[in-house]
Amino acid sequence: MNANFKLLAGSTLILSLLSFGCEQTSKTTSEQPELSLEERLLLRADSFELDTPYELPPGDALSHHSSGYAKIMCSAVFITGLDPKFAAESVGYFTSPYDQRSKVSKPIIDYDNNAVHIDFNGRRRTAIYTGSQGCVCLPEGVDSLFYEPKAIEKNLPDTETTPWPMGDLLAEEAYPEGIDKAKIKEAVDAAFNNPEGLTAAFVVTYKGEIIGERYSEGIDKNTSLESWSMGKSLTGTILATLIHQDVYDLWETAPIPEWKENLGIQDNIRIGDIMRMSSGIRFRAPQDPNFDPSVGYPDHVYVYTGSINSFQYAATRPSQWPPNTIGRYRNCDPVLANYLIRLGVESLGQDYHTYPQKALFDKIGVRNMVMETDPYGNFLTQGYEFGSARDWARLGNLYLNDGVWQGERLLPEGYVKYASTLAPAWVADGRPIYGGGFFWINGEGSIPIPKDAYFMAGAGNQKTFIIPSHDLVVVRLGHYKGSSPGNEDLNNALSMLMEVIPEG
């Protein structure tokens, strides 16, 4: 299907109402109906729209849903260790919607071969557990991957005898003086108040020390849990380590090989634009303000479930807008960032799959992170990664410490400032909520923490908050089904922490 997708028809109306800054025309406010935020977003985007084609992702939706279901169940069972029945009811709705699960077979858990099968209409989707690269869904009719999974060795000290943060040994006497321990516990417990919230893990660090922590039954400090789009911030962090090594410059034009062969608007897309979700690539996503599910399967999810070379797919989509003009939450950008990571790591003569552990995780004590791939071995950490709450807390503290860990700078100077600063295209859109490095910012004050706080966020209410004004990092992980009821508990817990932890 080809279509010149326009966000909103009516260019004459657009030209009469808007300029780049959404300025008003000569008509008075009283003569013009006030536009909603969504209407303003659509009108402004259409004023920048490029005349480029769009093709829907190939394949049928039920096959893609089954791919997502098989992968989610594989990860839940073989990585997190969840009961299959609980997992089928509670996790991973994003790439395998709950209402679609009744249209296919119950998950067939093949413990002998570390695989999960989903049957539908005489067809089958299969996800296999690879070990270090987690679970990967195979294309239909294919029984093996297009790459050899790599075992990852961890160069880390013994976890039980090494003090936090490089290990997991906590010293009771290290609890900060002047902090009411009982009130911290009340705040942590508040995150678990509603059982329907399915909160699985909650960790609070103050000035780098763990001062509050709790897990649900069957979960502990080493359990790797679904983390979803928090992996976008992880992707940005790994790319930042390459920027720190001068492999890339944040503001250089992104050296995507496919773009060199096709001169056009992509020549102006900088790495910093990509990591601000402002590349302008044409890539339909459910988060788009005008998303219409009846049009067809979205690209945003297809790069999870299509069992394709995700890098090649994202790199061959056309531009919808000039870069750094429109902010949209689309998976093309973190996929392209991962592409740059692979290109950069291999340009150094290093192994792509072991690089994150060696260059980042070993240095900050992360030992439970599992980064999953497509069948071609490309990391899908726009959302397919599993980490423990303590590991996400370590990553948050790397940012709290301005990219320096125990005296060693791991991220380039100025990168944390970039990550925690509002993205210009999002501000111009009237949504001061997204920053750089694939981080969200509390710019509208919708969360009961300071407006300068920034955070990693993933579907199912996975959150890692960095709150510099209070020297806090707060991690909340939960099972997808409990996202909405769990959010009220999370906000209550954050409010209580703000009351007990002093500013500054």
Side-chain angles (χ1 to χ4, degrees), residues 384-411:
Y384 271 0
E385 78 295 320
F386 289 71
S388 69
R390 284 195 176 188
D391 282 346
W392 287 111
R394 290 178 171 100
L395 192 63
N397 274 284
L398 175 63
Y399 280 84
L400 190 65
N401 294 323
D402 192 37
V404 176
W405 192 267
Q406 296 185 341
E408 180 183 2
R409 176 162 289 283
L410 302 180
L411 307 181

PDB file of all heavy atoms in Angstrom, residues 384-411:
ATOM      1  N   TYR A 384      13.025  -4.426  24.218  1.00  0.00           N
ATOM      2  CA  TYR A 384      13.211  -5.847  24.506  1.00  0.00           C
ATOM      3  C   TYR A 384      14.486  -6.047  25.330  1.00  0.00           C
ATOM      4  O   TYR A 384      15.533  -6.452  24.816  1.00  0.00           O
ATOM      5  CB  TYR A 384      13.294  -6.644  23.208  1.00  0.00           C
ATOM      6  CG  TYR A 384      11.964  -7.129  22.655  1.00  0.00           C
ATOM      7  CD1 TYR A 384      10.762  -6.855  23.298  1.00  0.00           C
ATOM      8  CD2 TYR A 384      11.914  -7.876  21.477  1.00  0.00           C
ATOM      9  CE1 TYR A 384       9.550  -7.292  22.780  1.00  0.00           C
ATOM     10  CE2 TYR A 384      10.711  -8.324  20.948  1.00  0.00           C
ATOM     11  CZ  TYR A 384       9.531  -8.029  21.600  1.00  0.00           C
ATOM     12  OH  TYR A 384       8.339  -8.475  21.083  1.00  0.00           O
ATOM     13  N   GLU A 385      14.403  -5.732  26.613  1.00  0.00           N
ATOM     14  CA  GLU A 385      15.504  -5.972  27.543  1.00  0.00           C
ATOM     15  C   GLU A 385      14.908  -6.207  28.922  1.00  0.00           C
ATOM     16  O   GLU A 385      13.801  -5.768  29.229  1.00  0.00           O
ATOM     17  CB  GLU A 385      16.509  -4.816  27.561  1.00  0.00           C
ATOM     18  CG  GLU A 385      16.088  -3.597  28.339  1.00  0.00           C
ATOM     19  CD  GLU A 385      14.886  -2.905  27.733  1.00  0.00           C
ATOM     20  OE1 GLU A 385      14.805  -2.798  26.503  1.00  0.00           O
ATOM     21  OE2 GLU A 385      14.003  -2.471  28.502  1.00  0.00           O
ATOM     22  N   PHE A 386      15.643  -6.937  29.746  1.00  0.00           N
ATOM     23  CA  PHE A 386      15.186  -7.305  31.082  1.00  0.00           C
ATOM     24  C   PHE A 386      16.299  -6.993  32.074  1.00  0.00           C
ATOM     25  O   PHE A 386      17.444  -7.405  31.871  1.00  0.00           O
ATOM     26  CB  PHE A 386      14.825  -8.797  31.123  1.00  0.00           C
ATOM     27  CG  PHE A 386      13.575  -9.121  30.358  1.00  0.00           C
ATOM     28  CD1 PHE A 386      13.561  -9.078  28.977  1.00  0.00           C
ATOM     29  CD2 PHE A 386      12.399  -9.454  31.020  1.00  0.00           C
ATOM     30  CE1 PHE A 386      12.405  -9.351  28.258  1.00  0.00           C
ATOM     31  CE2 PHE A 386      11.236  -9.735  30.317  1.00  0.00           C
ATOM     32  CZ  PHE A 386      11.248  -9.679  28.930  1.00  0.00           C
ATOM     33  N   GLY A 387      15.955  -6.252  33.127  1.00  0.00           N
ATOM     34  CA  GLY A 387      16.954  -5.898  34.125  1.00  0.00           C
ATOM     35  C   GLY A 387      16.382  -5.969  35.524  1.00  0.00           C
ATOM     36  O   GLY A 387      15.162  -5.895  35.726  1.00  0.00           O
ATOM     37  N   SER A 388      17.242  -6.092  36.496  1.00  0.00           N
ATOM     38  CA  SER A 388      16.805  -6.078  37.893  1.00  0.00           C
ATOM     39  C   SER A 388      16.670  -4.633  38.357  1.00  0.00           C
ATOM     40  O   SER A 388      17.269  -3.709  37.789  1.00  0.00           O
ATOM     41  CB  SER A 388      17.808  -6.822  38.772  1.00  0.00           C
ATOM     42  OG  SER A 388      19.030  -6.096  38.860  1.00  0.00           O
ATOM     43  N   ALA A 389      15.903  -4.445  39.420  1.00  0.00           N
ATOM     44  CA  ALA A 389      15.697  -3.088  39.937  1.00  0.00           C
ATOM     45  C   ALA A 389      17.014  -2.467  40.395  1.00  0.00           C
ATOM     46  O   ALA A 389      17.259  -1.275  40.190  1.00  0.00           O
ATOM     47  CB  ALA A 389      14.689  -3.125  41.083  1.00  0.00           C
ATOM     48  N   ARG A 390      17.869  -3.267  41.006  1.00  0.00           N
ATOM     49  CA  ARG A 390      19.157  -2.730  41.452  1.00  0.00           C
ATOM     50  C   ARG A 390      20.032  -2.310  40.263  1.00  0.00           C
ATOM     51  O   ARG A 390      20.763  -1.323  40.342  1.00  0.00           O
ATOM     52  CB  ARG A 390      19.893  -3.743  42.322  1.00  0.00           C
ATOM     53  CG  ARG A 390      19.340  -3.852  43.734  1.00  0.00           C
ATOM     54  CD  ARG A 390      20.298  -4.582  44.659  1.00  0.00           C
ATOM     55  NE  ARG A 390      19.810  -4.604  46.035  1.00  0.00           N
ATOM     56  CZ  ARG A 390      20.514  -5.045  47.075  1.00  0.00           C
ATOM     57  NH1 ARG A 390      21.741  -5.518  46.876  1.00  0.00           N
ATOM     58  NH2 ARG A 390      19.997  -5.027  48.282  1.00  0.00           N
ATOM     59  N   ASP A 391      19.950  -3.063  39.181  1.00  0.00           N
ATOM     60  CA  ASP A 391      20.752  -2.692  38.016  1.00  0.00           C
ATOM     61  C   ASP A 391      20.262  -1.382  37.407  1.00  0.00           C
ATOM     62  O   ASP A 391      21.059  -0.544  36.985  1.00  0.00           O
ATOM     63  CB  ASP A 391      20.723  -3.817  36.975  1.00  0.00           C
ATOM     64  CG  ASP A 391      21.658  -4.964  37.344  1.00  0.00           C
ATOM     65  OD1 ASP A 391      22.503  -4.779  38.238  1.00  0.00           O
ATOM     66  OD2 ASP A 391      21.543  -6.046  36.743  1.00  0.00           O
ATOM     67  N   TRP A 392      18.954  -1.189  37.361  1.00  0.00           N
ATOM     68  CA  TRP A 392      18.435   0.088  36.868  1.00  0.00           C
ATOM     69  C   TRP A 392      18.809   1.224  37.822  1.00  0.00           C
ATOM     70  O   TRP A 392      19.077   2.355  37.393  1.00  0.00           O
ATOM     71  CB  TRP A 392      16.925   0.021  36.677  1.00  0.00           C
ATOM     72  CG  TRP A 392      16.516  -0.794  35.489  1.00  0.00           C
ATOM     73  CD1 TRP A 392      15.872  -2.002  35.485  1.00  0.00           C
ATOM     74  CD2 TRP A 392      16.748  -0.471  34.104  1.00  0.00           C
ATOM     75  NE1 TRP A 392      15.681  -2.454  34.190  1.00  0.00           N
ATOM     76  CE2 TRP A 392      16.207  -1.532  33.327  1.00  0.00           C
ATOM     77  CE3 TRP A 392      17.338   0.599  33.449  1.00  0.00           C
ATOM     78  CZ2 TRP A 392      16.252  -1.544  31.931  1.00  0.00           C
ATOM     79  CZ3 TRP A 392      17.391   0.593  32.062  1.00  0.00           C
ATOM     80  CH2 TRP A 392      16.850  -0.468  31.319  1.00  0.00           C
ATOM     81  N   ALA A 393      18.867   0.923  39.118  1.00  0.00           N
ATOM     82  CA  ALA A 393      19.286   1.938  40.087  1.00  0.00           C
ATOM     83  C   ALA A 393      20.750   2.320  39.869  1.00  0.00           C
ATOM     84  O   ALA A 393      21.126   3.494  40.007  1.00  0.00           O
ATOM     85  CB  ALA A 393      19.078   1.431  41.508  1.00  0.00           C
ATOM     86  N   ARG A 394      21.577   1.350  39.538  1.00  0.00           N
ATOM     87  CA  ARG A 394      22.983   1.658  39.232  1.00  0.00           C
ATOM     88  C   ARG A 394      23.068   2.596  38.030  1.00  0.00           C
ATOM     89  O   ARG A 394      23.822   3.573  38.033  1.00  0.00           O
ATOM     90  CB  ARG A 394      23.749   0.364  38.958  1.00  0.00           C
ATOM     91  CG  ARG A 394      23.963  -0.516  40.194  1.00  0.00           C
ATOM     92  CD  ARG A 394      24.689  -1.803  39.823  1.00  0.00           C
ATOM     93  NE  ARG A 394      25.088  -2.568  41.000  1.00  0.00           N
ATOM     94  CZ  ARG A 394      24.432  -3.630  41.471  1.00  0.00           C
ATOM     95  NH1 ARG A 394      23.337  -4.056  40.836  1.00  0.00           N
ATOM     96  NH2 ARG A 394      24.849  -4.270  42.543  1.00  0.00           N
ATOM     97  N   LEU A 395      22.310   2.277  36.994  1.00  0.00           N
ATOM     98  CA  LEU A 395      22.335   3.125  35.803  1.00  0.00           C
ATOM     99  C   LEU A 395      21.840   4.533  36.129  1.00  0.00           C
ATOM    100  O   LEU A 395      22.404   5.531  35.666  1.00  0.00           O
ATOM    101  CB  LEU A 395      21.466   2.497  34.710  1.00  0.00           C
ATOM    102  CG  LEU A 395      21.597   3.098  33.312  1.00  0.00           C
ATOM    103  CD1 LEU A 395      23.000   2.915  32.763  1.00  0.00           C
ATOM    104  CD2 LEU A 395      20.583   2.482  32.364  1.00  0.00           C
ATOM    105  N   GLY A 396      20.796   4.636  36.940  1.00  0.00           N
ATOM    106  CA  GLY A 396      20.297   5.943  37.350  1.00  0.00           C
ATOM    107  C   GLY A 396      21.338   6.735  38.113  1.00  0.00           C
ATOM    108  O   GLY A 396      21.471   7.954  37.930  1.00  0.00           O
ATOM    109  N   ASN A 397      22.106   6.059  38.953  1.00  0.00           N
ATOM    110  CA  ASN A 397      23.128   6.759  39.727  1.00  0.00           C
ATOM    111  C   ASN A 397      24.306   7.197  38.870  1.00  0.00           C
ATOM    112  O   ASN A 397      24.989   8.175  39.199  1.00  0.00           O
ATOM    113  CB  ASN A 397      23.603   5.884  40.892  1.00  0.00           C
ATOM    114  CG  ASN A 397      22.718   6.038  42.111  1.00  0.00           C
ATOM    115  OD1 ASN A 397      22.802   7.032  42.825  1.00  0.00           O
ATOM    116  ND2 ASN A 397      21.853   5.063  42.344  1.00  0.00           N
ATOM    117  N   LEU A 398      24.551   6.506  37.766  1.00  0.00           N
ATOM    118  CA  LEU A 398      25.562   6.985  36.825  1.00  0.00           C
ATOM    119  C   LEU A 398      25.179   8.371  36.316  1.00  0.00           C
ATOM    120  O   LEU A 398      26.033   9.257  36.194  1.00  0.00           O
ATOM    121  CB  LEU A 398      25.699   6.001  35.657  1.00  0.00           C
ATOM    122  CG  LEU A 398      26.642   6.428  34.521  1.00  0.00           C
ATOM    123  CD1 LEU A 398      28.078   6.574  35.026  1.00  0.00           C
ATOM    124  CD2 LEU A 398      26.566   5.436  33.362  1.00  0.00           C
ATOM    125  N   TYR A 399      23.893   8.579  36.058  1.00  0.00           N
ATOM    126  CA  TYR A 399      23.418   9.890  35.611  1.00  0.00           C
ATOM    127  C   TYR A 399      23.411  10.893  36.758  1.00  0.00           C
ATOM    128  O   TYR A 399      23.749  12.069  36.566  1.00  0.00           O
ATOM    129  CB  TYR A 399      22.040   9.760  34.964  1.00  0.00           C
ATOM    130  CG  TYR A 399      22.134   9.279  33.542  1.00  0.00           C
ATOM    131  CD1 TYR A 399      22.228   7.926  33.244  1.00  0.00           C
ATOM    132  CD2 TYR A 399      22.178  10.183  32.487  1.00  0.00           C
ATOM    133  CE1 TYR A 399      22.359   7.468  31.942  1.00  0.00           C
ATOM    134  CE2 TYR A 399      22.308   9.752  31.179  1.00  0.00           C
ATOM    135  CZ  TYR A 399      22.403   8.395  30.914  1.00  0.00           C
ATOM    136  OH  TYR A 399      22.549   7.967  29.621  1.00  0.00           O
ATOM    137  N   LEU A 400      23.014  10.449  37.936  1.00  0.00           N
ATOM    138  CA  LEU A 400      23.016  11.351  39.086  1.00  0.00           C
ATOM    139  C   LEU A 400      24.421  11.895  39.342  1.00  0.00           C
ATOM    140  O   LEU A 400      24.599  13.028  39.808  1.00  0.00           O
ATOM    141  CB  LEU A 400      22.500  10.619  40.330  1.00  0.00           C
ATOM    142  CG  LEU A 400      22.220  11.462  41.565  1.00  0.00           C
ATOM    143  CD1 LEU A 400      21.073  12.435  41.327  1.00  0.00           C
ATOM    144  CD2 LEU A 400      21.924  10.576  42.765  1.00  0.00           C
ATOM    145  N   ASN A 401      25.442  11.089  39.000  1.00  0.00           N
ATOM    146  CA  ASN A 401      26.839  11.475  39.194  1.00  0.00           C
ATOM    147  C   ASN A 401      27.454  12.073  37.933  1.00  0.00           C
ATOM    148  O   ASN A 401      28.680  12.053  37.758  1.00  0.00           O
ATOM    149  CB  ASN A 401      27.659  10.261  39.642  1.00  0.00           C
ATOM    150  CG  ASN A 401      27.246   9.768  41.015  1.00  0.00           C
ATOM    151  OD1 ASN A 401      26.917  10.553  41.894  1.00  0.00           O
ATOM    152  ND2 ASN A 401      27.256   8.457  41.192  1.00  0.00           N
ATOM    153  N   ASP A 402      26.614  12.587  37.019  1.00  0.00           N
ATOM    154  CA  ASP A 402      27.078  13.287  35.821  1.00  0.00           C
ATOM    155  C   ASP A 402      27.940  12.412  34.919  1.00  0.00           C
ATOM    156  O   ASP A 402      28.864  12.883  34.261  1.00  0.00           O
ATOM    157  CB  ASP A 402      27.842  14.560  36.196  1.00  0.00           C
ATOM    158  CG  ASP A 402      28.092  15.463  34.996  1.00  0.00           C
ATOM    159  OD1 ASP A 402      27.205  15.545  34.123  1.00  0.00           O
ATOM    160  OD2 ASP A 402      29.184  16.053  34.917  1.00  0.00           O
ATOM    161  N   GLY A 403      27.625  11.108  34.869  1.00  0.00           N
ATOM    162  CA  GLY A 403      28.343  10.212  33.972  1.00  0.00           C
ATOM    163  C   GLY A 403      29.684   9.734  34.495  1.00  0.00           C
ATOM    164  O   GLY A 403      30.459   9.123  33.740  1.00  0.00           O
ATOM    165  N   VAL A 404      29.971  10.009  35.772  1.00  0.00           N
ATOM    166  CA  VAL A 404      31.220   9.573  36.393  1.00  0.00           C
ATOM    167  C   VAL A 404      30.913   8.473  37.394  1.00  0.00           C
ATOM    168  O   VAL A 404      29.955   8.569  38.167  1.00  0.00           O
ATOM    169  CB  VAL A 404      31.916  10.756  37.103  1.00  0.00           C
ATOM    170  CG1 VAL A 404      33.164  10.281  37.840  1.00  0.00           C
ATOM    171  CG2 VAL A 404      32.263  11.835  36.085  1.00  0.00           C
ATOM    172  N   TRP A 405      31.721   7.413  37.378  1.00  0.00           N
ATOM    173  CA  TRP A 405      31.500   6.287  38.290  1.00  0.00           C
ATOM    174  C   TRP A 405      32.793   5.989  39.039  1.00  0.00           C
ATOM    175  O   TRP A 405      33.795   5.612  38.441  1.00  0.00           O
ATOM    176  CB  TRP A 405      31.051   5.051  37.520  1.00  0.00           C
ATOM    177  CG  TRP A 405      30.541   3.954  38.410  1.00  0.00           C
ATOM    178  CD1 TRP A 405      31.255   2.911  38.916  1.00  0.00           C
ATOM    179  CD2 TRP A 405      29.214   3.805  38.911  1.00  0.00           C
ATOM    180  NE1 TRP A 405      30.463   2.112  39.708  1.00  0.00           N
ATOM    181  CE2 TRP A 405      29.202   2.640  39.714  1.00  0.00           C
ATOM    182  CE3 TRP A 405      28.040   4.536  38.764  1.00  0.00           C
ATOM    183  CZ2 TRP A 405      28.037   2.188  40.353  1.00  0.00           C
ATOM    184  CZ3 TRP A 405      26.890   4.085  39.410  1.00  0.00           C
ATOM    185  CH2 TRP A 405      26.890   2.924  40.184  1.00  0.00           C
ATOM    186  N   GLN A 406      32.748   6.199  40.331  1.00  0.00           N
ATOM    187  CA  GLN A 406      33.894   5.939  41.200  1.00  0.00           C
ATOM    188  C   GLN A 406      35.181   6.534  40.616  1.00  0.00           C
ATOM    189  O   GLN A 406      36.230   5.896  40.542  1.00  0.00           O
ATOM    190  CB  GLN A 406      34.043   4.428  41.446  1.00  0.00           C
ATOM    191  CG  GLN A 406      32.845   3.852  42.191  1.00  0.00           C
ATOM    192  CD  GLN A 406      33.014   2.380  42.566  1.00  0.00           C
ATOM    193  OE1 GLN A 406      33.839   1.675  41.988  1.00  0.00           O
ATOM    194  NE2 GLN A 406      32.228   1.914  43.528  1.00  0.00           N
ATOM    195  N   GLY A 407      35.059   7.782  40.188  1.00  0.00           N
ATOM    196  CA  GLY A 407      36.214   8.533  39.711  1.00  0.00           C
ATOM    197  C   GLY A 407      36.508   8.404  38.234  1.00  0.00           C
ATOM    198  O   GLY A 407      37.343   9.150  37.705  1.00  0.00           O
ATOM    199  N   GLU A 408      35.844   7.502  37.540  1.00  0.00           N
ATOM    200  CA  GLU A 408      36.089   7.310  36.107  1.00  0.00           C
ATOM    201  C   GLU A 408      34.919   7.874  35.294  1.00  0.00           C
ATOM    202  O   GLU A 408      33.768   7.516  35.531  1.00  0.00           O
ATOM    203  CB  GLU A 408      36.255   5.826  35.776  1.00  0.00           C
ATOM    204  CG  GLU A 408      36.519   5.579  34.293  1.00  0.00           C
ATOM    205  CD  GLU A 408      36.614   4.101  33.943  1.00  0.00           C
ATOM    206  OE1 GLU A 408      36.440   3.253  34.850  1.00  0.00           O
ATOM    207  OE2 GLU A 408      36.852   3.793  32.760  1.00  0.00           O
ATOM    208  N   ARG A 409      35.230   8.741  34.358  1.00  0.00           N
ATOM    209  CA  ARG A 409      34.188   9.280  33.482  1.00  0.00           C
ATOM    210  C   ARG A 409      33.862   8.257  32.417  1.00  0.00           C
ATOM    211  O   ARG A 409      34.722   7.832  31.649  1.00  0.00           O
ATOM    212  CB  ARG A 409      34.620  10.605  32.854  1.00  0.00           C
ATOM    213  CG  ARG A 409      33.602  11.143  31.859  1.00  0.00           C
ATOM    214  CD  ARG A 409      33.771  12.613  31.548  1.00  0.00           C
ATOM    215  NE  ARG A 409      33.393  13.476  32.661  1.00  0.00           N
ATOM    216  CZ  ARG A 409      32.133  13.760  33.000  1.00  0.00           C
ATOM    217  NH1 ARG A 409      31.124  13.222  32.318  1.00  0.00           N
ATOM    218  NH2 ARG A 409      31.868  14.549  34.013  1.00  0.00           N
ATOM    219  N   LEU A 410      32.569   7.872  32.359  1.00  0.00           N
ATOM    220  CA  LEU A 410      32.109   6.890  31.384  1.00  0.00           C
ATOM    221  C   LEU A 410      31.301   7.530  30.267  1.00  0.00           C
ATOM    222  O   LEU A 410      31.244   6.990  29.159  1.00  0.00           O
ATOM    223  CB  LEU A 410      31.260   5.817  32.075  1.00  0.00           C
ATOM    224  CG  LEU A 410      31.938   5.042  33.217  1.00  0.00           C
ATOM    225  CD1 LEU A 410      30.976   4.013  33.791  1.00  0.00           C
ATOM    226  CD2 LEU A 410      33.217   4.376  32.730  1.00  0.00           C
ATOM    227  N   LEU A 411      30.658   8.651  30.573  1.00  0.00           N
ATOM    228  CA  LEU A 411      29.868   9.376  29.579  1.00  0.00           C
ATOM    229  C   LEU A 411      30.526  10.718  29.330  1.00  0.00           C
ATOM    230  O   LEU A 411      31.122  11.304  30.234  1.00  0.00           O
ATOM    231  CB  LEU A 411      28.428   9.581  30.084  1.00  0.00           C
ATOM    232  CG  LEU A 411      27.683   8.332  30.551  1.00  0.00           C
ATOM    233  CD1 LEU A 411      26.269   8.697  30.999  1.00  0.00           C
ATOM    234  CD2 LEU A 411      27.646   7.269  29.468  1.00  0.00           C
TER     235      LEU A 411
END
